[in-house]
Amino acid sequence: MTKTYGERATSLPNKTAQELFTLMERKKSNLAVALDVTTKQEFLDIADKVGPYICCLKTHIDILEDFDQDLIDKLKKLQKKHDFIIFEDRKFADIGNTVKHQYSKGIYKIAEWADIVDAHAIPGDGIITGLKEIGLPLNRGLLLLAEMSSKGNLATGAYTEATIEMAKRHKDFVIGFISGKKFNSCEELIIMTPGISLDISNDDLGQQYKTPRNVIENGSDIIIVGRGIYGKGKDAVVEAQRYRNAGWEAYLKKFE
Ligand code: 5BU
């Protein structure tokens, strides 16, 4: 039987995962916004606008041209105000020792403010062990990239299978996958899905879009929407509401 998000909060040991499920149920939202803008002003402005409608704010912190500590302080304030999880889509892909530094040091000090980060499985288990040393004491969570949304990507078949096996060996820290569908052998893990649009099927750089309904029917838990919400000529509040409703209706359909 399909479990509600609220019921699933107790089925994972990781505190961030529990918090995420609880707030999804409370806010009635399975929408994550991918906030890919390049100035602090735009970033904070859109985050404040979409905040009430989202369960998660996904960042690419290294694309901001005027990044500073003040941005992080303000982001944390918005997180308190609106109640969402912060996911830095860092896609770590190096050996354990290197990713530890990339996660905790440098300009961005990601581990200090990002509840969730993600990683490629390509380097093997050491990438998870390294990230875990930093993240677990802070109750952070990790997603593995089991699939990608872009045309021609190599995260398929045996690679995806091996990624799932890797996640199963680290259930204290790995809370889920980036993927377009649920995997039967680890149903309790969270599936987050990028490449979502209600209006178009691709961009001109290989991105491929599906609808919220498509992916939630396939077992996705959280839809990740970027340009569909704040792209040219869009009203971010109107679009955030539209995607939030589409995502939540698709979720409710599973209980009919
Ligand atoms: P879009 O504007 O909705 O196309 O943005 C999608 C976001 O999701 C963007 O931040 C990408 O970096 C991210 N993404 C993706 O599109 N596809 C993937 O497979 C992964 C991440 Br992993």
Side-chain angles (χ1 to χ4, degrees):
M1 226 182 59
T2 313
K3 283 189 179 170
T4 65
Y5 293 133
E7 284 163 353
R8 289 174 62 197
T10 48
S11 52
L12 285 173
N14 182 283
K15 287 220 173 89
T16 292
Q18 293 172 3
E19 206 181 308
L20 177 55
F21 277 132
T22 309
L23 85 83
M24 286 166 76
E25 185 84 45
R26 189 168 57 239
K27 287 181 82 173
K28 297 200 182 338
S29 174
N30 51 19
L31 172 65
V33 167
L35 197 33
D36 299 340
V37 294
T38 56
T39 66
K40 191 170 144 180
Q41 185 61 48
E42 257 185 304
F43 181 93
L44 293 170
D45 181 46
I46 299 171
D48 199 20
K49 281 186 178 151
V50 302
Y53 313 108
I54 62 175
C55 63
C56 173
L57 188 78
K58 188 177 86 59
T59 57
H60 281 302
I61 206 68
D62 57 350
I63 68 175
L64 284 153
E65 294 187 36
D66 48 358
F67 171 85
D68 60 7
Q69 184 56 39
D70 179 58
L71 170 77
I72 296 299
D73 296 343
K74 290 189 169 133
L75 174 60
K76 284 185 180 160
K77 277 196 189 134
L78 287 176
Q79 178 176 35
K80 274 223 169 74
K81 177 177 171 190
H82 296 299
D83 191 16
F84 51 72
I85 292 283
I86 301 172
F87 165 21
E88 164 60 20
D89 188 2
R90 175 61 180 76
K91 300 188 182 70
F92 294 105
D94 214 320
I95 60 166
N97 187 60
T98 302
V99 295
K100 257 173 70 174
H101 298 318
Q102 291 173 325
Y103 189 16
S104 61
K105 309 268 189 216
I107 304 168
Y108 303 117
K109 301 184 185 9
I110 294 167
E112 285 182 12
W113 50 269
D115 302 293
I116 299 176
V117 290
D118 56 352
H120 287 287
I122 191 108
D125 285 67
I127 189 168
I128 304 180
T129 316
L131 291 170
K132 194 180 344 192
E133 274 184 28
I134 302 292
L136 204 54
L138 298 167
N139 293 319
R140 305 304 192 204
L142 177 69
L143 301 171
L144 292 183
L145 281 91
E147 294 183 337
M148 291 192 73
S149 61
S150 45
K151 193 167 194 282
N153 80 80
L154 306 179
T156 60
Y159 181 86
T160 300
E161 288 304 318
T163 304
I164 296 166
E165 290 309 311
M166 205 180 282
K168 286 192 208 162
R169 292 192 287 273
H170 301 272
K171 278 197 179 163
D172 49 350
F173 189 48
V174 177
I175 62 171
F177 302 102
I178 298 290
S179 153
K181 59 176 184 292
K182 179 79 79 195
F183 305 113
N184 289 336
S185 62
C186 41
E187 278 186 346
E188 70 284 11
L189 293 185
I190 302 169
I191 303 294
M192 293 204 192
T193 310
I196 300 290
S197 174
L198 284 164
D199 306 314
I200 54 174
S201 58
N202 57 276
D203 71 4
D204 52 11
L205 291 172
Q207 176 69 296
Q208 305 174 116
Y209 291 111
K210 291 183 175 165
T211 66
R213 183 82 180 273
N214 290 156
V215 302
I216 286 175
E217 272 174 357
N218 282 332
S220 173
D221 299 309
I222 294 176
I223 53 169
I224 300 176
V225 186
R227 289 163 287 176
I229 286 182
Y230 51 77
K232 231 181 172 185
K234 305 225 179 231
D235 180 329
V237 171
V238 171
E239 295 300 333
Q241 287 173 332
R242 185 160 82 106
Y243 279 94
R244 185 263 197 115
N245 291 342
W248 198 257
E249 277 165 22
Y251 162 70
L252 290 180
K253 271 238 166 300
K254 302 208 295 190
F255 300 94
E256 281 176 3

